[in-house]
Amino acid sequence: MKNNNKQDLLWIYRKMKTSRYFEERMEKAYMEGKQPVFNIGAGPVPGEMHLSNGQEPAAASMIVHLTNEDTVTATHRPHHQAIAKGVDLKKMTAEIFGKKTGLGKGKGGHMHLFDPNVKFSCGGIVGGGIPHAVGAALANKKKGTDRVAVAFIGEGAVNSGAFHESLNLAALWNLPFIVVVEDNAWGISVAKDKSTCVPTNDVRAAAYGIKGYEVRDNDPLEMYRVSKEAVERARKGEGPSIIEIETYRYLGHFQGDPELYRPKDEVSKLRANDPIERLKKYLLKETLASEDDIKALDQQILKEVDNAYEFAINSEYPEPEAALEDVFV
Amino acid sequence: MKNNNKQDLLWIYRKMKTSRYFEERMEKAYMEGKQPVFNIGAGPVPGEMHLSNGQEPAAASMIVHLTNEDTVTATHRPHHQAIAKGVDLKKMTAEIFGKKTGLGKGKGGHMHLFDPNVKFSCGGIVGGGIPHAVGAALANKKKGTDRVAVAFIGEGAVNSGAFHESLNLAALWNLPFIVVVEDNAWGISVAKDKSTCVPTNDVRAAAYGIKGYEVRDNDPLEMYRVSKEAVERARKGEGPSIIEIETYRYLGHFQGDPELYRPKDEVSKLRANDPIERLKKYLLKETLASEDDIKALDQQILKEVDNAYEFAINSEYPEPEAALEDVFV
Amino acid sequence: MEATKEKTRKLTGSKAMAQALEQEMNRDESIFVMGEDVGKYGGIFGSTTGLYDKFGEDRIMDTPISETGFIGAAIGAAAEGLRPVVELMFVDFHGVVMDQIYNHMAKIPYMSGGHVKLPITLLTAVGGGYSDAAQHSQTLYASFGHLPGMKVVAPTFPHDIKGMLISAIRDDNPVVFMFHKTLQGLGWMDQLDASLGPVPEEAYTVPLDKAKVVREGKDVTIVGAQMMTVEALDAAKKLAERGIDAEVIDLRSIKPIDKETILKSVEKTGRLVVVDEDYYSYGITAEVSAIVASEGFDYLKVPIVRLAIPDVPIPYSRIMEKFVIPDAKDIINAVEKMVTA
Amino acid sequence: MEATKEKTRKLTGSKAMAQALEQEMNRDESIFVMGEDVGKYGGIFGSTTGLYDKFGEDRIMDTPISETGFIGAAIGAAAEGLRPVVELMFVDFHGVVMDQIYNHMAKIPYMSGGHVKLPITLLTAVGGGYSDAAQHSQTLYASFGHLPGMKVVAPTFPHDIKGMLISAIRDDNPVVFMFHKTLQGLGWMDQLDASLGPVPEEAYTVPLDKAKVVREGKDVTIVGAQMMTVEALDAAKKLAERGIDAEVIDLRSIKPIDKETILKSVEKTGRLVVVDEDYYSYGITAEVSAIVASEGFDYLKVPIVRLAIPDVPIPYSRIMEKFVIPDAKDIINAVEKMVTA
Ligand SMILES: Cc1ncc(C[n+]2csc(CCOP(=O)(O)OP(=O)(O)O)c2C)c(N)n1
Ligand SMILES: Cc1ncc(C[n+]2csc(CCOP(=O)(O)OP(=O)(O)O)c2C)c(N)n1
Ligand SMILES: [Mg+2]
Ligand SMILES: [Mg+2]
């Protein structure tokens, strides 16, 4: 865990920016072979692609408080958390490209990234990962460690039965468990007020007698502060929390989403309030970093991401018959 | 709906007592063919048998506010609600005896009683009936009626995913829906504090922005008052409610339950505080009924129940081949 | 009533679905649609395209991601006399709601002795082939076909899609209506000839329990459903060039299976290949093989051949996914071996 | 290692389960049990009898009625290196948690390229015959057998129950362990000879993928699992009196099915009856028939006979329930017809 505030904020900047660069490249890679006519199954990166541009604070400002031994479960939109959690970027990229050097040897794909070295997993079923984090928290407690488990979900997932069962279990057993709700206002095309009977999900903490936190306006600093408290409480055995952060989805639900359901100017307003830019300004203002520092950092990030793509692109595809392996260990 | 207080209370007494008599006979009928050695599959009433002795106020004091057009869904422990809702007692008894004159022609059994004439249903999957009541409430609203739908469940069912999804839907769509949680302290052998992370489930109303009510000590009068308010609110379009009533399970989870998990003197304490006796005393004290009135009523009840058993016992069993019918209408 | 010729034009699978829904909803006010993104979005796979604008949010209802809640609610609403059409976006998600589907929707009519009717149509998208990986590419035909109390259909061509959807909606029983993503004719997926076909303008029905011989032949019977029917037809064309005359049966109904059509065909050909985009064990290839091995045993000249997804989750990477999903080439290989054997 | 003779005594199915659990939990501290009423109650069907007193509530954990929550939690705990044994009280309840079982538990090892191990044993009670009606009497063998990524076993006799449960717990993969209520030898159910049998005291394993010939014979092969094995043995005894010598195979493993044992037997007998307490369509009778029709076709002298629960929910009333569940009489009738045909 990083204790130094400056270091932490720089770390958060770095992770957010890495995720952003990573996804900007992914947006392009995904469109290869899909032009002029978009075909979801074509190109080097086929299948659904859910990007998290705009949602970076939710991941980085929480995960800065975690170590490799803490567990994170994520969703169909997992890149920003994976990157913050320190998932092997080369293998992750290779997995998304369907290569045999990928995290899952090309079997998982972008929605199914597993890196046990840093205790990261995700999945394509809404709500499905929450109980896994509860189970990890249970294991942490059984082993007598102070490790925590954090489940990241979207605001849409809060209305799944899995959420409720998991939260009750975590609270009942007083587990070191936190759920971060990334409220990006939409569950595909369904607006939050058409899916959720309460305005913010922190109030649902009352149903479990646990702590509920609300972070407004996608604020990386407030998310940092709140997450710190929740993680410390969890480590000390003070029980689970719900953190809901109001965050922004810049892109469609998946790439190729026509977004006809969405007000035309919504995204430009969100983009004008970009959390990475805001953090950068803050770092400069507080003289935690200079323009040169940031530039240097950005260069490093660029290189790291480029290396990952290079690795992925240059890796080999699996043999077709490899499909038959790894069902059982 | 009965508006007159005296009539209502007498109605409640009648329904509670009918259920009590009905189940006391059932307890005996169930043990036929199961002595000296208990065999769950033997006798005229085989299979699991969940009795509700002690829990009558939950049902009668709510359902007094309902009409035949309002919907009730119940659980694996459905007799007290079924009787209060006015389910055809003869056909219900015949169903439990597996006769072809039964509600379901002997196909359903005690956990699966359906009487569409009075909009009653139940089922053997914990939590499974809650969404059905939501759907009935939705239909009521779509049709522009002021009918309500009430889901009865045990405190154990509150921790099922179905509960959460249903409550969110009901609140989101502002449906005329009420859930009555019969907190009988146990889910089979699991005590409430080993299943539920909050002491009472009315607090979970906060997760849905709806009304939560708590009724202590199995009180039929308080349940009557609270239910009245909840039903009136639902009819007026003021939205769903959760009512949790602290109630008593006199018997084992099912007949034959060894109950080794249960403190020895628990039941005798509960029985000393019997809600039917308490209501009777109240009726007498307030001179809403005389001893003779009660006796006459009791005689009527006895007769009604006896008739139902006679009908059931004298009815014929289905043909074996009838098993192949009614899969599709 | 099967369709008449007049006013027939070509529609995609998704347009055929939307048209069926529209016509039925106009006819019967008790029909309404619930599901995730069925509103303004028009259904992720286009099943409700345009309907939100026509019927409004009371009849085309977007729901939260609460499949147990809203599919369970369809049961309650159906018991009250409405006719819900509910969409489970991907069949892969059935695991979060299977209890409502198989223990309640499918059994309440029976457990009530036929006194409760549940006229529910459950729409769900099936199929892979576009690298959507293990949790979004399944067909799961047999997971539904195995369980009693539901009619389960999986039409292939737009004509049957419309006709069977209308039959499903009009049926007083629960019907699981599986539509194949690739056969919806969506602009953003593989373009397939089979996904565009003649669809009469007026409402018509196609029976829910009848397979269809989509190509007559005398040397071998190939049974498939949806994309496997398409692959079988493709294989048959190529086999014809090599002098092998294959009969292709489009199953259409997963439950009940139309035994008569299959047995009649095998009686003629003496050879059977069953091909399935679902998992191998306990799947369509098992059930169809068993039907013939017990009821048409004497017709068989050679062992039955089963082609299906081997018992592995569906891998993401294209080359592995292609390897596990049977295609025309696999069918041709199997048939050639059989015929020369 | 199969069992040795010494220190063998008779145990019921449930005692065999509890003993397996106890011995394994003593051996390996990372094993723990979660489920509804597994604590003081000892499991509704006795699977954890006495264990709460021995291991305490940290290792024998009662849970809320939150199957998705706690079975999902088993996945998370297994990924962290623990070895959870979780009980789904009745298999009939799988519908509330199937997503965690089939999309996560069964697929994560594969999707992770083998990097995540999930050594989970999922216990679940199956079977009818005591009038517990449509939502509490199913076996659903094929609902699990159809889906990839799980080993699925259904042992019959106490010896196999103990040995296969130990194998399941030691296996690094998810294993669905189905135990039949009537074969648990519980005091409050039908008393059955088969539910009491010799069980060695020490820990031993029985393979998870091998069927067993439990009666040798030369005229006909009868394949069943659990109660259907018991009925088949009963039928075989009576058939022997009529001069028909039946071979009975106890399937034991639902997935994978041990083809070799079945094919070898049919090669000898030329006749096959498959009998199943699960639903007919897409069930064990389908899969076993298909295996033989495709891989042992030439062995068959007569059509295969399939006996299973017709495609109806399980009715409550005893007379109807008995009608739908196959029994020795049904098997005898089928075999007699086959042999004289
Ligand atoms: C159980 C289940 N139901 C539906 C879906 C389809 N689906 C995928 S993402 C999604 C929306 C999720 O919304 P939210 O939880 O807010 O996450 P976001 O996409 O906004 O990150 C839906 C409905 C699914 N994957 N799983
Ligand atoms: C989904 C599901 N899980 C488990 C069960 C087994 N079961 C039947 S009743 C019961 C306890 C229910 O407790 P509660 O809801 O408090 O109702 P009560 O029995 O006390 O009336 C359980 C666990 C079930 N029927 N359905
Ligand atoms: Mg969202
Ligand atoms: Mg209870």
mmCIF file of all heavy atoms in Angstrom, chain A residues 71 103 105 119 125 128 131-132 135 142-143 165 169 323 325-326 328-329, chain D residues 58 61 64 66-69 72-73 76 80 99-100 104 110 112-113 115 173:
data_model
loop_
_atom_site.group_PDB
_atom_site.id
_atom_site.type_symbol
_atom_site.label_atom_id
_atom_site.label_comp_id
_atom_site.label_asym_id
_atom_site.label_seq_id
_atom_site.Cartn_x
_atom_site.Cartn_y
_atom_site.Cartn_z
ATOM 1 N N THR A 71 -7.657 -8.788 -3.361
ATOM 2 C CA THR A 71 -8.355 -9.310 -4.536
ATOM 3 C C THR A 71 -9.241 -8.260 -5.178
ATOM 4 O O THR A 71 -9.880 -7.470 -4.476
ATOM 5 C CB THR A 71 -9.232 -10.502 -4.103
ATOM 6 O OG1 THR A 71 -8.386 -11.546 -3.611
ATOM 7 C CG2 THR A 71 -10.068 -11.037 -5.259
ATOM 8 N N LEU A 103 -3.190 -14.043 -21.269
ATOM 9 C CA LEU A 103 -3.445 -14.499 -19.896
ATOM 10 C C LEU A 103 -4.137 -15.852 -19.889
ATOM 11 O O LEU A 103 -3.832 -16.712 -19.078
ATOM 12 C CB LEU A 103 -4.351 -13.492 -19.168
ATOM 13 C CG LEU A 103 -3.732 -12.149 -18.776
ATOM 14 C CD1 LEU A 103 -4.833 -11.196 -18.306
ATOM 15 C CD2 LEU A 103 -2.685 -12.339 -17.688
ATOM 16 N N LYS A 105 -4.387 -17.857 -22.672
ATOM 17 C CA LYS A 105 -3.993 -18.557 -23.907
ATOM 18 C C LYS A 105 -4.993 -18.319 -25.048
ATOM 19 O O LYS A 105 -5.227 -19.207 -25.884
ATOM 20 C CB LYS A 105 -3.856 -20.065 -23.652
ATOM 21 C CG LYS A 105 -2.901 -20.414 -22.510
ATOM 22 C CD LYS A 105 -2.836 -21.910 -22.307
ATOM 23 C CE LYS A 105 -2.068 -22.300 -21.059
ATOM 24 N NZ LYS A 105 -2.321 -23.691 -20.663
ATOM 25 N N LYS A 119 -4.154 -11.373 -8.280
ATOM 26 C CA LYS A 119 -5.511 -11.630 -7.784
ATOM 27 C C LYS A 119 -6.552 -10.755 -8.470
ATOM 28 O O LYS A 119 -7.343 -10.052 -7.820
ATOM 29 C CB LYS A 119 -5.555 -11.461 -6.262
ATOM 30 C CG LYS A 119 -4.646 -12.486 -5.556
ATOM 31 C CD LYS A 119 -4.822 -12.473 -4.067
ATOM 32 C CE LYS A 119 -3.808 -13.346 -3.350
ATOM 33 N NZ LYS A 119 -4.167 -14.744 -3.288
ATOM 34 N N ILE A 125 -20.867 -11.763 -16.969
ATOM 35 C CA ILE A 125 -22.233 -11.861 -16.447
ATOM 36 C C ILE A 125 -22.439 -10.760 -15.406
ATOM 37 O O ILE A 125 -21.715 -10.700 -14.410
ATOM 38 C CB ILE A 125 -22.479 -13.240 -15.805
ATOM 39 C CG1 ILE A 125 -22.168 -14.369 -16.797
ATOM 40 C CG2 ILE A 125 -23.895 -13.338 -15.280
ATOM 41 C CD1 ILE A 125 -23.076 -14.428 -18.014
ATOM 42 N N GLY A 128 -22.112 -11.225 -11.613
ATOM 43 C CA GLY A 128 -21.521 -12.543 -11.370
ATOM 44 C C GLY A 128 -20.246 -12.545 -10.554
ATOM 45 O O GLY A 128 -19.934 -13.527 -9.894
ATOM 46 N N PRO A 131 -20.060 -12.296 -5.772
ATOM 47 C CA PRO A 131 -19.843 -13.361 -4.788
ATOM 48 C C PRO A 131 -18.418 -13.889 -4.774
ATOM 49 O O PRO A 131 -17.958 -14.372 -3.725
ATOM 50 C CB PRO A 131 -20.818 -14.471 -5.215
ATOM 51 C CG PRO A 131 -21.556 -13.992 -6.390
ATOM 52 C CD PRO A 131 -21.134 -12.615 -6.728
ATOM 53 N N HIS A 132 -17.710 -13.792 -5.887
ATOM 54 C CA HIS A 132 -16.324 -14.264 -5.887
ATOM 55 C C HIS A 132 -15.484 -13.395 -4.941
ATOM 56 O O HIS A 132 -14.614 -13.899 -4.232
ATOM 57 C CB HIS A 132 -15.728 -14.231 -7.293
ATOM 58 C CG HIS A 132 -16.548 -14.949 -8.302
ATOM 59 N ND1 HIS A 132 -16.339 -14.868 -9.645
ATOM 60 C CD2 HIS A 132 -17.622 -15.786 -8.174
ATOM 61 C CE1 HIS A 132 -17.231 -15.595 -10.300
ATOM 62 N NE2 HIS A 132 -18.020 -16.163 -9.418
ATOM 63 N N GLY A 135 -16.135 -14.449 -1.500
ATOM 64 C CA GLY A 135 -15.408 -15.678 -1.187
ATOM 65 C C GLY A 135 -13.933 -15.421 -0.931
ATOM 66 O O GLY A 135 -13.327 -16.033 -0.040
ATOM 67 N N LYS A 142 -10.426 -16.255 6.936
ATOM 68 C CA LYS A 142 -10.098 -17.589 7.445
ATOM 69 C C LYS A 142 -8.594 -17.748 7.652
ATOM 70 O O LYS A 142 -8.163 -18.410 8.591
ATOM 71 C CB LYS A 142 -10.572 -18.669 6.454
ATOM 72 C CG LYS A 142 -12.036 -19.018 6.571
ATOM 73 C CD LYS A 142 -12.357 -20.198 5.636
ATOM 74 C CE LYS A 142 -13.833 -20.542 5.668
ATOM 75 N NZ LYS A 142 -14.286 -21.064 6.981
ATOM 76 N N LYS A 143 -7.828 -17.174 6.747
ATOM 77 C CA LYS A 143 -6.370 -17.304 6.844
ATOM 78 C C LYS A 143 -5.765 -16.356 7.874
ATOM 79 O O LYS A 143 -4.548 -16.372 8.086
ATOM 80 C CB LYS A 143 -5.736 -17.024 5.480
ATOM 81 C CG LYS A 143 -6.046 -18.067 4.409
ATOM 82 C CD LYS A 143 -5.408 -17.633 3.075
ATOM 83 C CE LYS A 143 -5.825 -18.527 1.931
ATOM 84 N NZ LYS A 143 -5.496 -17.901 0.620
ATOM 85 N N GLU A 165 -27.456 -10.875 -2.268
ATOM 86 C CA GLU A 165 -27.006 -12.061 -1.530
ATOM 87 C C GLU A 165 -25.569 -11.878 -1.054
ATOM 88 O O GLU A 165 -25.209 -12.254 0.066
ATOM 89 C CB GLU A 165 -27.131 -13.312 -2.416
ATOM 90 C CG GLU A 165 -28.575 -13.611 -2.786
ATOM 91 C CD GLU A 165 -28.783 -14.983 -3.427
ATOM 92 O OE1 GLU A 165 -27.812 -15.751 -3.562
ATOM 93 O OE2 GLU A 165 -29.931 -15.281 -3.803
ATOM 94 N N LEU A 169 -24.193 -11.565 2.889
ATOM 95 C CA LEU A 169 -23.167 -12.500 3.379
ATOM 96 C C LEU A 169 -21.954 -11.755 3.935
ATOM 97 O O LEU A 169 -21.446 -12.069 5.012
ATOM 98 C CB LEU A 169 -22.674 -13.404 2.251
ATOM 99 C CG LEU A 169 -23.452 -14.664 1.916
ATOM 100 C CD1 LEU A 169 -22.695 -15.441 0.846
ATOM 101 C CD2 LEU A 169 -23.652 -15.535 3.154
ATOM 102 N N ALA A 323 -8.049 -25.669 -28.264
ATOM 103 C CA ALA A 323 -9.405 -25.478 -27.730
ATOM 104 C C ALA A 323 -9.816 -26.616 -26.814
ATOM 105 O O ALA A 323 -10.661 -26.445 -25.934
ATOM 106 C CB ALA A 323 -10.410 -25.357 -28.883
ATOM 107 N N GLU A 325 -7.916 -28.203 -24.719
ATOM 108 C CA GLU A 325 -7.134 -28.287 -23.476
ATOM 109 C C GLU A 325 -7.672 -27.336 -22.398
ATOM 110 O O GLU A 325 -8.391 -26.411 -22.696
ATOM 111 C CB GLU A 325 -5.668 -27.923 -23.773
ATOM 112 C CG GLU A 325 -4.990 -28.923 -24.686
ATOM 113 C CD GLU A 325 -3.743 -28.344 -25.351
ATOM 114 O OE1 GLU A 325 -3.314 -27.239 -24.968
ATOM 115 O OE2 GLU A 325 -3.223 -28.990 -26.285
ATOM 116 N N ASP A 326 -7.255 -27.591 -21.184
ATOM 117 C CA ASP A 326 -7.530 -26.693 -20.049
ATOM 118 C C ASP A 326 -8.968 -26.715 -19.534
ATOM 119 O O ASP A 326 -9.354 -25.867 -18.735
ATOM 120 C CB ASP A 326 -7.144 -25.230 -20.358
ATOM 121 C CG ASP A 326 -5.659 -25.071 -20.592
ATOM 122 O OD1 ASP A 326 -4.875 -25.724 -19.881
ATOM 123 O OD2 ASP A 326 -5.280 -24.309 -21.498
ATOM 124 N N PHE A 328 -10.071 -29.191 -17.825
ATOM 125 C CA PHE A 328 -9.720 -29.640 -16.478
ATOM 126 C C PHE A 328 -8.218 -29.462 -16.283
ATOM 127 O O PHE A 328 -7.455 -29.557 -17.237
ATOM 128 C CB PHE A 328 -10.136 -31.099 -16.272
ATOM 129 C CG PHE A 328 -11.628 -31.290 -16.354
ATOM 130 C CD1 PHE A 328 -12.200 -32.039 -17.373
ATOM 131 C CD2 PHE A 328 -12.473 -30.693 -15.414
ATOM 132 C CE1 PHE A 328 -13.586 -32.187 -17.454
ATOM 133 C CE2 PHE A 328 -13.854 -30.845 -15.491
ATOM 134 C CZ PHE A 328 -14.405 -31.589 -16.513
ATOM 135 N N VAL A 329 -7.833 -29.222 -15.031
ATOM 136 C CA VAL A 329 -6.407 -28.979 -14.789
ATOM 137 C C VAL A 329 -5.678 -30.314 -14.590
ATOM 138 O O VAL A 329 -6.268 -31.332 -14.330
ATOM 139 C CB VAL A 329 -6.189 -28.083 -13.549
ATOM 140 C CG1 VAL A 329 -6.799 -26.719 -13.810
ATOM 141 C CG2 VAL A 329 -6.753 -28.710 -12.294
ATOM 142 N N ASP D 58 -16.529 -22.572 12.104
ATOM 143 C CA ASP D 58 -15.664 -21.971 11.090
ATOM 144 C C ASP D 58 -15.452 -22.906 9.902
ATOM 145 O O ASP D 58 -15.198 -22.457 8.782
ATOM 146 C CB ASP D 58 -14.297 -21.608 11.683
ATOM 147 C CG ASP D 58 -14.370 -20.317 12.471
ATOM 148 O OD1 ASP D 58 -15.411 -19.632 12.382
ATOM 149 O OD2 ASP D 58 -13.403 -20.012 13.195
ATOM 150 N N MET D 61 -20.037 -24.384 7.964
ATOM 151 C CA MET D 61 -20.706 -23.086 8.017
ATOM 152 C C MET D 61 -22.137 -23.124 7.504
ATOM 153 O O MET D 61 -22.375 -23.367 6.321
ATOM 154 C CB MET D 61 -19.923 -22.086 7.156
ATOM 155 C CG MET D 61 -18.474 -21.884 7.579
ATOM 156 S SD MET D 61 -17.611 -20.795 6.414
ATOM 157 C CE MET D 61 -18.452 -19.241 6.733
ATOM 158 N N PRO D 64 -27.081 -18.360 4.915
ATOM 159 C CA PRO D 64 -28.427 -17.895 4.573
ATOM 160 C C PRO D 64 -28.930 -18.613 3.308
ATOM 161 O O PRO D 64 -28.168 -19.345 2.665
ATOM 162 C CB PRO D 64 -28.238 -16.410 4.295
ATOM 163 C CG PRO D 64 -26.869 -16.050 4.740
ATOM 164 C CD PRO D 64 -26.065 -17.309 4.772
ATOM 165 N N SER D 66 -29.111 -18.150 0.248
ATOM 166 C CA SER D 66 -28.486 -17.261 -0.737
ATOM 167 C C SER D 66 -27.544 -18.116 -1.566
ATOM 168 O O SER D 66 -26.323 -17.983 -1.475
ATOM 169 C CB SER D 66 -27.682 -16.158 -0.031
ATOM 170 O OG SER D 66 -28.441 -15.487 0.947
ATOM 171 N N GLU D 67 -28.104 -19.000 -2.362
ATOM 172 C CA GLU D 67 -27.271 -19.966 -3.078
ATOM 173 C C GLU D 67 -26.292 -19.293 -4.025
ATOM 174 O O GLU D 67 -25.142 -19.730 -4.153
ATOM 175 C CB GLU D 67 -28.147 -20.973 -3.837
ATOM 176 C CG GLU D 67 -28.851 -21.989 -2.952
ATOM 177 C CD GLU D 67 -30.179 -21.512 -2.375
ATOM 178 O OE1 GLU D 67 -30.536 -20.323 -2.614
ATOM 179 O OE2 GLU D 67 -30.861 -22.290 -1.693
ATOM 180 N N THR D 68 -26.739 -18.252 -4.714
ATOM 181 C CA THR D 68 -25.812 -17.545 -5.598
ATOM 182 C C THR D 68 -24.685 -16.923 -4.781
ATOM 183 O O THR D 68 -23.518 -16.962 -5.177
ATOM 184 C CB THR D 68 -26.562 -16.457 -6.398
ATOM 185 O OG1 THR D 68 -27.402 -17.116 -7.352
ATOM 186 C CG2 THR D 68 -25.613 -15.523 -7.128
ATOM 187 N N GLY D 69 -25.039 -16.399 -3.636
ATOM 188 C CA GLY D 69 -24.034 -15.794 -2.769
ATOM 189 C C GLY D 69 -23.017 -16.800 -2.277
ATOM 190 O O GLY D 69 -21.817 -16.625 -2.461
ATOM 191 N N GLY D 72 -21.277 -18.931 -5.105
ATOM 192 C CA GLY D 72 -20.353 -17.989 -5.727
ATOM 193 C C GLY D 72 -19.152 -17.710 -4.839
ATOM 194 O O GLY D 72 -18.016 -17.606 -5.312
ATOM 195 N N ALA D 73 -19.393 -17.610 -3.545
ATOM 196 C CA ALA D 73 -18.283 -17.360 -2.612
ATOM 197 C C ALA D 73 -17.319 -18.544 -2.592
ATOM 198 O O ALA D 73 -16.112 -18.365 -2.413
ATOM 199 C CB ALA D 73 -18.819 -17.075 -1.206
ATOM 200 N N GLY D 76 -14.789 -17.909 -5.216
ATOM 201 C CA GLY D 76 -13.772 -16.946 -4.789
ATOM 202 C C GLY D 76 -12.800 -17.538 -3.783
ATOM 203 O O GLY D 76 -11.590 -17.283 -3.837
ATOM 204 N N GLU D 80 -8.598 -18.626 -4.075
ATOM 205 C CA GLU D 80 -7.590 -18.222 -3.086
ATOM 206 C C GLU D 80 -6.898 -19.421 -2.448
ATOM 207 O O GLU D 80 -6.174 -19.269 -1.454
ATOM 208 C CB GLU D 80 -8.239 -17.366 -1.991
ATOM 209 C CG GLU D 80 -8.816 -16.051 -2.479
ATOM 210 C CD GLU D 80 -7.749 -15.025 -2.866
ATOM 211 O OE1 GLU D 80 -6.615 -15.144 -2.392
ATOM 212 O OE2 GLU D 80 -8.069 -14.133 -3.672
ATOM 213 N N ASP D 99 -26.131 -19.952 -12.808
ATOM 214 C CA ASP D 99 -25.129 -19.088 -13.423
ATOM 215 C C ASP D 99 -23.770 -19.251 -12.753
ATOM 216 O O ASP D 99 -22.754 -19.418 -13.430
ATOM 217 C CB ASP D 99 -25.552 -17.624 -13.365
ATOM 218 C CG ASP D 99 -24.496 -16.739 -13.990
ATOM 219 O OD1 ASP D 99 -24.206 -16.951 -15.177
ATOM 220 O OD2 ASP D 99 -23.928 -15.885 -13.299
ATOM 221 N N GLN D 100 -23.738 -19.212 -11.438
ATOM 222 C CA GLN D 100 -22.457 -19.386 -10.748
ATOM 223 C C GLN D 100 -21.861 -20.761 -11.050
ATOM 224 O O GLN D 100 -20.641 -20.909 -11.172
ATOM 225 C CB GLN D 100 -22.638 -19.217 -9.228
ATOM 226 C CG GLN D 100 -22.856 -17.768 -8.805
ATOM 227 C CD GLN D 100 -21.683 -16.866 -9.152
ATOM 228 O OE1 GLN D 100 -20.531 -17.282 -9.116
ATOM 229 N NE2 GLN D 100 -21.970 -15.628 -9.507
ATOM 230 N N HIS D 104 -19.395 -19.836 -14.263
ATOM 231 C CA HIS D 104 -18.218 -19.392 -13.514
ATOM 232 C C HIS D 104 -17.414 -20.599 -13.028
ATOM 233 O O HIS D 104 -16.326 -20.848 -13.514
ATOM 234 C CB HIS D 104 -18.648 -18.459 -12.376
ATOM 235 C CG HIS D 104 -19.421 -17.265 -12.847
ATOM 236 N ND1 HIS D 104 -18.828 -16.091 -13.201
ATOM 237 C CD2 HIS D 104 -20.741 -17.091 -13.074
ATOM 238 C CE1 HIS D 104 -19.742 -15.227 -13.614
ATOM 239 N NE2 HIS D 104 -20.918 -15.813 -13.546
ATOM 240 N N TYR D 110 -10.997 -22.917 -17.560
ATOM 241 C CA TYR D 110 -10.761 -22.897 -19.005
ATOM 242 C C TYR D 110 -10.461 -21.489 -19.496
ATOM 243 O O TYR D 110 -9.467 -21.253 -20.189
ATOM 244 C CB TYR D 110 -11.993 -23.459 -19.716
ATOM 245 C CG TYR D 110 -11.861 -23.602 -21.204
ATOM 246 C CD1 TYR D 110 -11.215 -24.704 -21.752
ATOM 247 C CD2 TYR D 110 -12.407 -22.661 -22.076
ATOM 248 C CE1 TYR D 110 -11.110 -24.865 -23.134
ATOM 249 C CE2 TYR D 110 -12.305 -22.806 -23.453
ATOM 250 C CZ TYR D 110 -11.650 -23.914 -23.978
ATOM 251 O OH TYR D 110 -11.555 -24.066 -25.338
ATOM 252 N N SER D 112 -9.313 -19.051 -18.047
ATOM 253 C CA SER D 112 -8.033 -18.541 -17.546
ATOM 254 C C SER D 112 -6.856 -19.291 -18.168
ATOM 255 O O SER D 112 -5.717 -19.121 -17.728
ATOM 256 C CB SER D 112 -7.982 -18.674 -16.021
ATOM 257 O OG SER D 112 -7.843 -20.032 -15.654
ATOM 258 N N GLY D 113 -7.138 -20.135 -19.135
ATOM 259 C CA GLY D 113 -6.059 -20.904 -19.749
ATOM 260 C C GLY D 113 -5.445 -21.899 -18.772
ATOM 261 O O GLY D 113 -4.271 -22.251 -18.890
ATOM 262 N N HIS D 115 -4.955 -21.356 -15.623
ATOM 263 C CA HIS D 115 -4.176 -20.703 -14.567
ATOM 264 C C HIS D 115 -4.921 -20.585 -13.248
ATOM 265 O O HIS D 115 -4.314 -20.379 -12.211
ATOM 266 C CB HIS D 115 -3.683 -19.334 -15.031
ATOM 267 C CG HIS D 115 -2.671 -19.430 -16.132
ATOM 268 N ND1 HIS D 115 -2.888 -18.927 -17.391
ATOM 269 C CD2 HIS D 115 -1.448 -20.013 -16.167
ATOM 270 C CE1 HIS D 115 -1.829 -19.175 -18.151
ATOM 271 N NE2 HIS D 115 -0.954 -19.842 -17.437
ATOM 272 N N ASN D 173 -10.455 -30.039 -9.750
ATOM 273 C CA ASN D 173 -11.474 -29.469 -10.624
ATOM 274 C C ASN D 173 -12.831 -29.465 -9.929
ATOM 275 O O ASN D 173 -13.041 -30.202 -8.967
ATOM 276 C CB ASN D 173 -11.578 -30.311 -11.899
ATOM 277 C CG ASN D 173 -10.285 -30.317 -12.669
ATOM 278 O OD1 ASN D 173 -9.923 -29.313 -13.261
ATOM 279 N ND2 ASN D 173 -9.569 -31.440 -12.635
#
